[in-house]
Amino acid sequence: MATVSYPSYFIRASSNRDSHDQNKQKLNNIRINGASSMSSMKPDTLSQPAGVVSTYNSFTSVNGNSITTEECRQNIPTKKQSVDPHRQGLIIEGGVGYRQTVVIRSYEVGPDKTPTLESILNLLQETALNHVWMSGLLSNGFGATHGMVRNNLIWVVSRMQVQVDHYPIWGEVVEIDTWVGASGKNGMRRDWLVRSQATGHVFARATSTWVMMKQETRRLSKMPEEVRAEISPWFIDKQAIKEDCPEKIVKLDNKARYMDSNLKAKRSDLDMNHHVNNVKYVRWMLETIPDEILESHKLSTIILEYRRECGNSDIVQSLCQPVEGGILEDGLKHKNGINLNGFSLASEVLEGSGLLCNFEKLPLRYTHPFQVKGEGGNEEIVRGRTTWKGKIPSKPITT
C-alpha cells in the first residue's frame, strides 16, 4: 500500500446548500488582507509571543503552557471552527462536512487552459487536510488525529477513484466539498465533489478508502476505540460515487505494450512520511500514454489500487496495456485504417461515412501496473485503470 500525506479518498450538489448561506456571507465579509471585521469569525488561535518570528526559539510559553515554535507558527485550532478566512473554507453538512472555494491558478493548467489531473488531486488533498484542520482533531501528524499520534498510527490509502465529467478552466472559481464516512469496521471513506461556483455544474466526483498503519512497523492496524470516538461523529452516510460492485483490475505480467523503466522518486516526490506521494504515481502513469491519445482524448476516469509502499530507494517500472475487447483495442489509428478486433477498415471509407469521428469519441481504457525491482523479482506496488474520452469542442455549460 502507499503511504500518503493526507487523510482518507467522488457526489452531487448538496441539497442543504442554502442552509449555509449565513456562513458563506461571513466568508464574503472578510477583507482582502485576511483580517475579519467580525471577531466571532477568528479561529481559536494561540496569541503569538513577541520575538518568536525573529528568534525562532525551540519552545515558548503561551498562557503558561509550553509549546514548540512550529506549533505556534502553524496555529492549529484546538477547537472546531465554522469558518476559515485564510483558506476560504466553511463547515457544512450540518456541521461535519467541509466546503472550500478555490481559483484555478495559471500554474495548475496545461496548454488547453484546464487543470491537469495532478492539479485536481492536489486540490483534493488540500481540502481533505483543511477539513481535519477545522475539525479541531488535527495533531502534529500530517492528517493524523490526537488519538492516532498517541497510538503511533498514520493513514494509508488503499483505493481511490476519480471521475471527471468536465474540466474547469484557468481563472474559474470552483467549490470543493469533502466529507468522510465509515468503510467496514476499521476503514474510512473520504469523498469529494467539485463544482462551478457560478453555475453549480458538477465537474468531478472522487472517492477513496483509507486504513491505518503502525508508523514504526509499517503494518496495518485495527482502528483503536479512542480514534473511532474521535472521527465517527464526523461520518456521513453519503457517497460521491456509488460502487455496489467495485471494478476489478486484472493483474498483468512484466510485458506490456508501453513501458517506462528505471523510474526513481526525487526528494520532491516524497511526502511527510518519507514515501512517494500518490499523485506521483499518476504522473508516471500518464507519461506512458501515447501522444496520439493525449492529443485527441481527455482523461475521464482513473482508479488506483495501492498494494505496498514505495520509497526513494526503489526502482519503479511503469507499464501500460490497452484493455482488450474494445472497438479500438489500442486506441490508435493505423496508417491504412483502423483495426476493429482483427478487421481493418480503410480510413478513407471511415472518413467518408462519418464513422471516424464517432470512433474517435469512443472511450479508451488502459491498465497500469507499477512494479519495483526486488531480490525475488518484480513486486507490484500499484495497479491502475484509466478511461479516456474523445475531446469535444468547448461549449457553454448550462445548469
Side-chain angles (χ1 to χ4, degrees), residues 287-302:
E287 287 175 354
T288 61
I289 297 293
D291 290 340
E292 295 89 340
I293 300 302
L294 295 176
E295 293 172 0
S296 60
H297 289 70
K298 201 75 173 176
L299 181 62
S300 62
T301 302
I302 185 169

Side-chain angles (χ1 to χ4, degrees), residues 255-289:
K255 297 180 180 179
R257 186 166 300 180
Y258 311 106
M259 183 182 304
D260 197 352
S261 301
N262 297 320
L263 299 170
K264 190 174 181 180
K266 302 176 182 178
R267 289 185 180 180
S268 59
D269 299 322
L270 303 183
D271 58 26
M272 291 190 182
N273 294 316
H274 302 284
H275 286 267
V276 176
N277 188 285
N278 68 338
V279 177
K280 176 63 180 180
Y281 295 111
V282 175
R283 189 185 314 167
W284 283 339
M285 181 182 296
L286 300 185
E287 287 175 354
T288 61
I289 297 293

Side-chain angles (χ1 to χ4, degrees), residues 46-160:
L46 300 171
S47 56
Q48 189 178 45
V52 167
V53 175
S54 59
T55 61
Y56 284 94
N57 295 324
S58 298
F59 292 90
T60 188
S61 177
V62 177
N63 297 329
N65 297 320
S66 179
I67 64 171
T68 65
T69 302
E70 181 179 285
E71 290 173 330
C72 187
R73 293 170 62 192
Q74 286 182 294
N75 213 359
I76 298 176
T78 58
K79 296 180 181 178
K80 177 182 174 181
Q81 308 299 309
S82 60
V83 179
D84 187 335
H86 303 291
R87 294 169 181 78
Q88 294 289 296
L90 298 168
I91 290 294
I92 60 171
E93 295 285 358
V96 293
Y98 177 72
R99 174 177 298 158
Q100 185 166 330
T101 303
V102 300
V103 180
I104 302 301
R105 310 292 184 180
S106 60
Y107 53 80
E108 296 171 329
V109 302
D112 59 357
K113 296 184 180 181
T114 64
T116 63
L117 184 63
E118 273 188 78
S119 298
I120 292 177
L121 291 176
N122 283 327
L123 288 174
L124 300 184
Q125 169 178 302
E126 186 66 13
T127 54
L129 281 170
N130 291 342
H131 185 198
V132 184
W133 181 286
M134 291 189 67
S135 71
L137 298 176
L138 185 65
S139 185
N140 60 354
F142 204 48
T145 66
H146 300 286
M148 291 176 64
V149 171
R150 283 191 291 269
N151 287 271
N152 195 33
L153 295 170
I154 58 176
W155 285 113
V156 293
V157 60
S158 61
R159 191 174 191 272
M160 187 169 77

Side-chain angles (χ1 to χ4, degrees), residues 382-398:
V382 177
R383 193 180 299 179
R385 167 71 52 78
T386 57
T387 303
W388 301 74
K389 292 182 180 180
K391 292 182 180 179
I392 56 176
S394 300
K395 297 180 180 179
I397 297 177
T398 58

Side-chain angles (χ1 to χ4, degrees), residues 296-326:
S296 60
H297 289 70
K298 201 75 173 176
L299 181 62
S300 62
T301 302
I302 185 169
I303 301 174
L304 295 167
E305 296 177 354
Y306 298 92
R307 301 182 177 276
R308 56 151 285 184
E309 296 176 295
C310 176
N312 64 337
S313 61
D314 291 324
I315 305 299
V316 180
Q317 180 174 254
S318 175
L319 307 177
C320 177
Q321 179 66 26
V323 177
E324 297 182 359

Side-chain angles (χ1 to χ4, degrees), residues 223-262:
M223 185 181 296
E225 287 304 319
E226 68 167 319
V227 177
R228 193 184 310 277
E230 285 179 319
I231 64 176
S232 60
W234 293 83
F235 286 174
I236 300 177
D237 187 16
K238 184 173 69 173
Q239 298 180 1
I241 301 175
K242 291 187 177 181
E243 296 181 288
D244 297 329
C245 184
E247 178 184 357
K248 297 291 184 181
I249 304 176
V250 298
K251 183 178 181 179
L252 296 180
D253 55 22
N254 297 335
K255 297 180 180 179
R257 186 166 300 180
Y258 311 106
M259 183 182 304
D260 197 352
S261 301
N262 297 320

